[in-house]
Structure formats: C-alpha cells, structure tokens
Amino acid sequence: MSIKVKAVERNVSFDKTKEKWAYVMQAELYSKLSQSKVINEAAMRSGISKGSINAAWDAIGEVIKAWATEGHAVAIPGLGTMRFGLRATSVSDVNKVASSLITTRRVIFTPSVDIKDELARTAISITCYDRNGEVVKRVTSSDDGNVEDEPENPSDNTGGTDNTGGGSTSDEEEVPYE
C-alpha cells in the first residue's frame, strides 16, 4: 500500500511576462467512502451485524458532536482526538471583544501515535507529468517518513489566536494582554 502523489509541471511565475516551470506535488485524491461501505466492511471484519454497527456508528457520532460542542477533545477510537476550535483577531481593549473578531471556526484533529507511525511507514509513489500531461518519471519514496506534529498553520503573524474556549492545550498560542 502506498500514498499516490502526482508531480505536475506548472508555470509558477507570478509575472505574466515570464515563465518559471516547476514540478508541483499533490496527493492524488481518492473517492470518499460512503458510511454504508464502511459499515459493511466493519461488519464483515468483526462478525457484528450491520444493524448493530450502524446504530453504534450513529450513537458515537452524536456523542462526539455533543461533547465537542461542550469544549471537550473527544477520542476517536484508534485514530486520535477531535475538538472544535477557532481563529480570532486579538484586541488590546476589552470593550472591543466581540464575536466579529472570530475569523474561522475549525475542526482540529490530533492523530494518535499509531496513526502517525502508520503514515511514517507508508511508502509514497510519485508520478511526474510534464506540462503536456505526459508521464516523464516515477519515483518511490526513500525519505525518513517524518510526520508533522503541529496542526496546520498553528499561528499566523497577524495577531490571531487559536483557541477552543476551554482550558489551555499544548498547541494553542497564548497572546499576552497589552
């Protein structure tokens, strides 16, 4: 099993009068698996009826939604934890604090060590395409399999914060009061 990546030769110049060609990599997207397909596979692997798994799946989904909206980081068995968060602009005057400062609501997933280890062990197959769409090279990974531990864009340099509204967690940045 491997992650399939395509490297496509593209003009990456921001100057319309010049061309600068580079191979831009992106993971090839697979189809989204339906809930029924996942339930059927789980039933087959576990010997538990589809109806029982479906009921448990729905119940777990409702519990995760309920607890996440209360500010909890909720365990997703075998995968990691999920919590809600947000990005907001910080202000020095308490009288300016308002919900309009919220720029983005987020779902934050923190993978388990087992998932990160699985990703690190997974080979990566890269197919390179030139600007005409022709395959020019195929590469199989030989990297160290480093896995990023930080959430995507943990902070920006515009004075924003990433907070859940609950207690402090290790991937949040505290912004001092002025």
Side-chain angles (χ1 to χ4, degrees), residues 27-86:
E28 289 188 31
L29 299 178
Y30 300 98
S31 64
K32 178 180 166 186
L33 297 176
S34 68
Q35 176 177 328
S36 63
K37 183 170 181 112
V38 173
I39 288 170
N40 287 341
E41 183 70 18
M44 186 175 68
R45 290 179 185 216
S46 69
I48 300 171
S49 74
K50 288 184 221 176
S52 295
I53 289 179
N54 195 42
W57 178 287
D58 290 342
I60 290 169
E62 291 301 316
V63 167
I64 290 171
K65 282 191 289 188
W67 286 350
T69 56
E70 293 175 4
H72 299 282
V74 183
I76 301 173
L79 299 176
T81 59
M82 191 237 32
R83 64 183 172 94
F84 293 151
L86 57 87

Side-chain angles (χ1 to χ4, degrees), residues 2 12 30 36 55 60 75 80 98 116 118 123 146 177:
S2 69
V12 295
Y30 300 98
S36 63
I60 290 169
K116 289 192 283 188
E118 186 66 29
N146 294 332
Y177 292 105

